[in-house]
Amino acid sequence: MTRVFNFSAGPAMLPEDVLQRAAAEMTDWQGCGMSVMEMSHRGKEFISIAQKSEGDLRTLMNIPGHYRVLFLQGGASSQFAMVPMNLLRGRERADYLNTGSWSKKAIAEAKRYCRVNVAVSGESAKFTEIPPRSAWALDAEAAYVHYTPNETIEGVEFHEIPDTGTVPLVADMSSTILSRPVDVSRFGLIYAGAQKNIGPAGLTIVIVREDLLGKEIPGTPTMFSYATHAKAESMYNTPPTYGWYIAGLVFSWIKEQGGLQAMAERNKKKADKLYRAIDESDFYHNPVTTSCRSWMNVPFTLARPELDSQFLDLAKKAGLVTLKGHRSVGGMRASIYNAMPEEGVNALIAFMKEFEQKHT
Ligand SMILES: *Cc1c(COP(=O)(O)O)cnc(C)c1O
């Protein structure tokens, strides 16, 4: 079996150890004679899987006891609505930081429920920078401040958690969760679709401070209330059981690797290398301001865009796949989440150098 280096933004590469373990347990999970996919979510086997998965996530992220962890469906996109529905708490306004395509989607959805104050926007600079804190116009009466710590499409990342005082901070961490240690106590709510850095698509993780629960707007569907899922331990209805199990395998894999500090060191090293290779060449270009470049998603363009398809074809032949940039920005994008080994980044850099030499 040959595995490729898959630079997909999501669904993305998973650690090979995790896939092997899932394969070994596929038809008979630990002697119970059935696959995790076939188990009742209320049976003792699955309950043990679910509890271990949550426990490991709590350990990894050092999640305080007054936060609930929810294992939901619907993707990060459902959170764009669930956040205002649950967190407005009688207020009429919410602050949003607009730093890229995913921020914009979150803003558009929130506008259906409240008055959105776009406290800052990087749009005039085509989302290649995050304007400094001094340029933000936060509203002290806002119900919450929503931001996107890592913009998966533009490759723009906050390297510090914004200070929003007593206003709860909400983060769409879909493409950066578990890439480094993070102080959960700074947040009111964190959400993430699993398919970037956690596991299979279909699972969405929400980490929410308990005091924010139970104040949803009238008419909120039962399934869209965080309180519903918190009360039922994410088992109000059938949860995404297989995704929850794979996420658990990924959490234990990260623990074995040395936890989030070790992930951060590795991720920084991979990203630094790749940006250095891009910056040192006149052939490749990354437009993002150095201080807010993403560790996870590295977009780059070729000096001669007419070579894009040849670059992609040859890369694929070299076992480097899914490097095509998002259709909205063009060029290339290398997503280098936790599961991308350093060898994958080394192989990409070597390929890029070779391609450049052939075409300059
Ligand atoms: C991928 C992504 C989303 C959308 O996730 P879905 O699970 O497909 O809804 C939202 N926000 C960010 C930052 C993403 O990277």
Side-chain angles (χ1 to χ4, degrees), residues 37-57:
M37 266 182 272
E38 303 168 299
M39 284 176 187
S40 163
H41 56 296
R42 306 200 189 277
K44 71 175 189 331
E45 290 88 358
F46 187 76
I47 299 279
S48 76
I49 290 170
Q51 285 175 347
K52 178 163 190 324
S53 178
E54 178 175 338
D56 283 347
L57 180 63

Side-chain angles (χ1 to χ4, degrees), residues 9 74-78 80 102 148 150-152 172-175 191 193-196 204 337:
S77 302
S78 295
F80 296 162
W102 289 114
T148 311
N150 183 64
E151 287 284 357
T152 322
D172 174 0
M173 283 201 194
S174 296
S175 52
Y191 63 91
Q195 69 273 24
K196 298 350 185 326
T204 310
Y337 301 115

Side-chain angles (χ1 to χ4, degrees), residues 326-344:
H326 191 268
R327 58 190 183 279
S328 65
V329 293
M332 310 296 154
R333 172 177 49 172
S335 295
I336 49 175
Y337 301 115
N338 286 348
M340 174 60 68
E342 194 176 340
E343 305 89 79

Side-chain angles (χ1 to χ4, degrees), residues 4-9 11-14 319-323 335-336 340:
V4 293
F5 292 119
N6 178 8
F7 293 89
S8 171
M13 209 167 163
L14 284 168
L320 309 166
V321 308
T322 340
L323 281 160
S335 295
I336 49 175
M340 174 60 68

